[in-house]
Amino acid sequence: MSSDRRTLLRRTALGITAVLAGCLDRNGPSDGDEDGNVDSDDKRPTVESSDTLSLASNTSRPWWDDGNEVGHAVLIDGDERQRAAFEWLDPSEPQRERVGTFLSGIDYATERALLVESVGPNACYDRLEIDSIRVEDGTLRADATVSKPDASMGCAEVITFSSAVARIAFEGTPPDTTTVEVTNGWEETTTVRADIDDPIP
C-alpha cells in the first residue's frame, strides 16, 4: 500500500473517531447521576427574603451563658421548636405578642426562623442586630452585632443580654444548619453554629 493511501486512511479514521466522540458528548450522561441529572448551583437554596425583629433586653443570665460565651443561636424549623425557643419570654410582656405577630403564618416548608442572643457590659448595650443573611455551601449564614450606645448616655453598670429573631424565606429547600458571626458588647467576635436538632432546655 502506498504511503499516500495509508495517510488518507489514517485521516479518515481520525475524522470518524472525532465525530463519534462529539455524539457521545452531546447524547451521553454528563457529570451527575446515572440519568444525566447534573448537580447545579441553581438547585441550592437561596434567600428569597428576610426580616428581623429586635427583642427587649434583660439582665437575667440565660442558660447558655457561663460567663465566657459571646453569643448563642437557635435555628427553628417547626412550631414545636418555635414554642420551646421563646419559652423564656414572660407571657405578660408585650414582646411575646410581638414575636407571635412577627412569626405569624410562617411556613417552615419554605422558611426558617433564627434566634440570636448576645451580651454587653452595661444596660445601654440593649440591642442586637442581625444582618448579612445569606446561604453559603448549603448553610444559612448571618452576622449579629450588639449595637454600641451613644457615649454621652448614662448607663447602668449591669451585664445586659440582648436578642433578635430573623424570619427568612428561601427558594429551594431551607437549610438545616446555620453559622452566625456574633460580636458582643466588648467587641469580641466568635462563630456560633447551630442546627435544627440542637436541644433547647
Side-chain angles (χ1 to χ4, degrees), residues 4 24 74 144 169 171 186:
D4 289 344
L24 289 174
V74 178
E171 282 195 14
W186 290 272

Side-chain angles (χ1 to χ4, degrees), residues 31-49:
D31 291 339
D33 60 24
E34 294 178 354
D35 297 324
N37 296 322
V38 181
D39 291 333
S40 168
D41 288 345
D42 293 339
K43 295 183 179 181
R44 296 178 181 175
T46 57
V47 173
E48 184 176 41
S49 63

Side-chain angles (χ1 to χ4, degrees), residues 134 141-145 179-183 189-193:
R134 72 269 187 200
R141 295 181 180 270
D143 298 335
T145 305
T179 300
V180 185
E181 294 294 315
V182 181
T183 302
T189 300
T190 193
T191 301
V192 177
R193 295 177 175 84

Side-chain angles (χ1 to χ4, degrees), residues 73-147:
V74 178
L75 185 61
I76 303 167
D77 69 329
D79 294 336
E80 183 176 348
R81 190 168 177 81
Q82 177 182 317
R83 286 190 293 270
F86 296 102
E87 187 66 29
W88 56 275
L89 290 176
D90 188 335
S92 65
E93 293 182 355
Q95 67 174 341
R96 172 166 281 201
E97 183 177 349
R98 290 175 61 221
V99 170
T101 300
F102 180 72
L103 296 178
S104 177
I106 190 169
D107 179 3
Y108 284 110
T110 59
E111 295 179 79
R112 291 287 183 264
L114 174 63
L115 171 65
V116 184
E117 301 171 81
S118 191
V119 58
N122 62 53
C124 290
Y125 288 85
D126 60 353
R127 184 178 178 86
L128 181 72
E129 296 183 353
I130 304 174
D131 57 20
S132 300
I133 299 171
R134 72 269 187 200
V135 176
E136 294 179 0
D137 298 325
T139 296
L140 174 64
R141 295 181 180 270
D143 298 335
T145 305
V146 176
S147 298

